[in-house]
């Protein structure tokens, strides 16, 4: 295809899309734009530079001139980062400064108040850079107030169509630390975030949703239909990946991967207890977790869990082979009070598990989007209560019931082919981005 047939796209995403890293959003955007000529892509970003050449053809990092009172903002940001590290000064004065800055960061930065004090603007340098690139389309994801307002400012300034593609329901999740302590301030921030998100959705010529649940809710919320484009991958990549099995032949090897936060870590302890139950019933089972983030030392130290071990997360290519080497894949979400807040989210690992050809157990509150997707589409067994006995029962069935196991794998591949085939997703994405020209 002639490169000139691809619209020139300016991407606004908070994290820099690097040439290669494990960042989930970076992987999503690299997949979407894989066929795009690099000279017809550009990105405005804020953080996340890993030192490599980057993925898009041109990049612009936000700086002091791109915010009102921007120099003060970056001085405060630098001071906050410096005091959040370990540091080498253990004096009481230094500890006091660190405590004060930690308090300021928690109450001023994490709350979202800093974004209201230092709103984004289109500086002369940014305007000149955008004009030189001359995009056909502006692509935005939101995520915070700055990256919701700036795309609208640029779209209005340069009269360009806007594509809006949020990957989670960030307007319902952002800036929640004051919800219980200072409810009036929390309501003010909620209204501000909702207003910024609504302006972005209203201005969008091509609104995209990350799954059907988000699409239905955003139609209700914003009064316009959102095209659904989910995470995707190539079936051929899994077929060519080979098999990386790190278990004995007589073991049931259970594999989990992803980011494990405070909501998900307790679920690994449930998995350990479930494996112990399997052992008592005569099923030799062992689980390996490949975390994409650093876990607490008390979790990963030797002997902390009897049946669950931890290994470094492989590359994106290597992960496919590891998933194919498993007997069962374990996809935990959460059961705590935050479950309702991710009712419009589906794990970025779900489609990888589907393509692997191995059966999956989803362990999650029924309120989450992931649980709903598994329940409604039948691509995984769902354990929707925090109960290691119920989890052990689901795992045992996949070991002993070959017909059920084969049916689950077959259904997962059907769902993956219908919703997550990257070739089809790229084709639709290309057509949608050409439409507003």
């Amino acid at each position: 295809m002639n490169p000139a047939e691809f619209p020139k796209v300016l991407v606004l995403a908070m994290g820099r899309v690097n040439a290669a890293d494990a960042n989930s959003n970076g992987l999503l955007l690299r997949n979407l734009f894989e066929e795009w000529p690099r000279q017809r892509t550009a990105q405005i970003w804020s953080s996340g530079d890993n030192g490599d050449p980057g993925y898009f053809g041109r990049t612009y990092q936000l700086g002091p001139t791109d915010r009102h009172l921007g120099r003060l903002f970056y001085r405060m940001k630098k001071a906050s980062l410096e005091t959040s590290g370990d540091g080498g000064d253990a004096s009481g004065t230094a500890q006091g400064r660190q405590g004060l800055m930690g308090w300021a960061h928690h109450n001023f930065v994490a709350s979202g108040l800093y974004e209201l004090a230092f709103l984004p603007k289109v500086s002369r340098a940014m305007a000149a850079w955008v004009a030189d690139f001359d995009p056909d389309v502006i692509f935005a994801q939101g995520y915070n107030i700055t990256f919701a307002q700036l795309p609208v400012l640029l779209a209005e300034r340069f009269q360009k169509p806007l594509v809006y593609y949020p990957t989670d329901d960030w307007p319902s999740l952002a800036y929640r630390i004051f919800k219980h302590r200072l409810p009036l301030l929390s309501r003010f921030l909620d209204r501000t975030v909702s207003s910024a998100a609504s302006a972005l959705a209203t201005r969008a010529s091509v609104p995209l949703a990350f799954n059907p649940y988000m699409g239905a809710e955003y139609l209700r919320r914003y009064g316009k239909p959102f095209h659904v484009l989910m995470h995707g991958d190539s079936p051929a990549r899994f077929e060519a990946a080979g098999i990386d099995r790190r278990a004995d032949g007589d073991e049931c090897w259970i594999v989990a991967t992803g980011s494990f936060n405070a909501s998900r870590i307790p679920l690994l302890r449930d998995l350990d207890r479930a494996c112990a139950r399997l052992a008592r019933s005569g099923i030799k089972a062992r689980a390996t977790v490949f975390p994409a983030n650093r876990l607490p030392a008390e979790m990963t130290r030797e002997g902390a869990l009897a049946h669950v071990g931890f290994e470094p997360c492989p590359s994106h290519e290597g992960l496919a082979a590891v998933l194919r080497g498993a007997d069962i894949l374990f996809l935990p979400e959460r059961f705590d009070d935050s479950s309702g807040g991710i009712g419009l989210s589906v794990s970025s690992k779900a489609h990888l598990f589907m393509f692997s050809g191995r059966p999956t157990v989803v362990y999650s509150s029924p309120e989450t989007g992931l649980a709903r997707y598994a329940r409604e589409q039948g691509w995984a067994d769902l354990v929707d209560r925090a109960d290691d006995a119920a989890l052990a029962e689901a795992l045992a069935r996949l070991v002993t019931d070959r017909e059920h196991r084969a049916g689950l794998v077959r259904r997962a591949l059907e769902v993956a082919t219908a919703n997550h085939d990257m070739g089809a997703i790229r084709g639709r994405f290309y057509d949608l981005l050409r439409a507003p020209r």
Side-chain angles (χ1 to χ4, degrees), residues 9-10 12 135-140 151 154-155 158 160-164:
V9 184
L10 171 58
L12 279 85
D136 297 308
V137 178
I138 294 173
F139 176 98
L154 289 170
F158 292 95
K160 301 293 183 180
L162 185 63
V163 176
Y164 176 37

Side-chain angles (χ1 to χ4, degrees), residues 150-171:
L150 188 56
V152 175
L153 293 174
L154 289 170
E156 295 291 346
R157 172 81 170 261
F158 292 95
Q159 288 300 292
K160 301 293 183 180
L162 185 63
V163 176
Y164 176 37
Y165 190 24
T167 56
D168 61 24
D169 188 28
W170 67 270

Side-chain angles (χ1 to χ4, degrees), residues 85-391:
D86 293 335
D89 186 347
S91 69
T93 302
Q95 290 177 352
R97 284 199 302 269
Q98 290 182 8
L100 179 62
M101 288 305 300
W103 179 91
H105 179 271
H106 185 69
N107 290 280
F108 188 60
V109 177
S111 70
L113 286 174
Y114 82 105
E115 289 201 75
L116 301 183
F118 306 104
L119 291 172
K121 65 178 182 178
V122 180
S123 66
R124 282 184 291 181
M126 184 191 298
W129 183 85
V130 173
D132 184 62
F133 178 60
D134 190 23
D136 297 308
V137 178
I138 294 173
F139 176 98
Q141 294 183 290
Y143 182 79
N144 62 16
I145 293 172
T146 296
F147 278 84
Q149 292 183 340
L150 188 56
V152 175
L153 293 174
L154 289 170
E156 295 291 346
R157 172 81 170 261
F158 292 95
Q159 288 300 292
K160 301 293 183 180
L162 185 63
V163 176
Y164 176 37
Y165 190 24
T167 56
D168 61 24
D169 188 28
W170 67 270
S172 299
L173 300 171
Y175 317 125
R176 296 291 164 167
I177 70 167
F178 286 144
K179 184 173 182 179
H180 300 295
R181 287 192 293 122
L182 296 172
L184 290 178
L185 179 58
S186 178
R187 284 197 290 271
F188 170 71
L189 286 168
D190 285 350
R191 287 196 297 270
T192 303
V193 170
S194 296
S195 176
S198 180
L200 182 54
T202 299
R203 182 62 174 76
S205 304
V206 181
L208 304 174
F210 206 48
N211 58 64
Y213 314 122
M214 180 183 288
E217 169 59 22
Y218 280 17
L219 172 61
R220 183 201 65 78
R221 188 183 300 179
Y222 302 118
K224 64 194 303 184
F226 277 63
H227 306 277
V228 175
L229 290 182
M230 301 186 77
H231 242 316
D233 211 308
S234 167
R237 187 175 78 85
F238 282 81
E239 293 168 4
I243 293 177
D244 182 357
R245 180 175 175 82
R246 308 182 188 184
D248 295 336
D250 62 342
E251 284 184 314
C252 172
W253 190 38
I254 302 166
V255 167
T257 188
S259 294
F260 292 87
N261 56 20
S263 296
R264 293 174 179 167
I265 286 175
L267 279 55
L268 298 180
R269 297 189 178 93
D270 286 354
L271 176 61
D272 188 57
R273 288 188 284 266
C275 287
R277 288 179 178 273
L278 293 178
R280 290 195 294 271
S281 69
I283 297 174
K284 185 178 180 183
R286 180 170 63 85
T288 303
V289 178
F290 297 88
N293 60 318
R294 181 178 295 179
L295 297 181
E298 62 270 19
M299 172 62 67
T300 59
R301 73 175 184 271
E302 186 175 356
L305 298 176
H307 302 275
V308 177
F310 299 87
E311 293 190 28
C313 192
S315 67
H316 181 59
E317 297 302 323
L319 180 61
V322 168
L323 297 179
R324 294 190 71 213
D327 293 302
I328 299 173
L329 301 174
F330 177 63
L331 187 52
E333 186 52 271
R334 63 190 68 190
F335 290 96
D336 59 21
D337 292 342
S338 67
S339 298
I342 58 170
L344 305 184
S345 299
V346 172
S347 169
S348 61
K349 297 295 182 288
H351 67 293
L352 302 180
F353 285 24
M354 294 180 201
F355 278 124
S356 72
R358 299 295 182 265
T360 299
V361 173
V362 168
Y363 190 50
S364 171
S365 163
E367 295 181 278
T368 70
L370 175 65
R372 183 177 178 184
Y373 193 37
R375 182 174 63 248
E376 294 180 357
Q377 295 296 319
W379 56 270
D381 278 343
L382 172 64
V383 179
D384 62 3
R385 63 186 188 275
D387 182 344
D388 60 86
L391 178 58

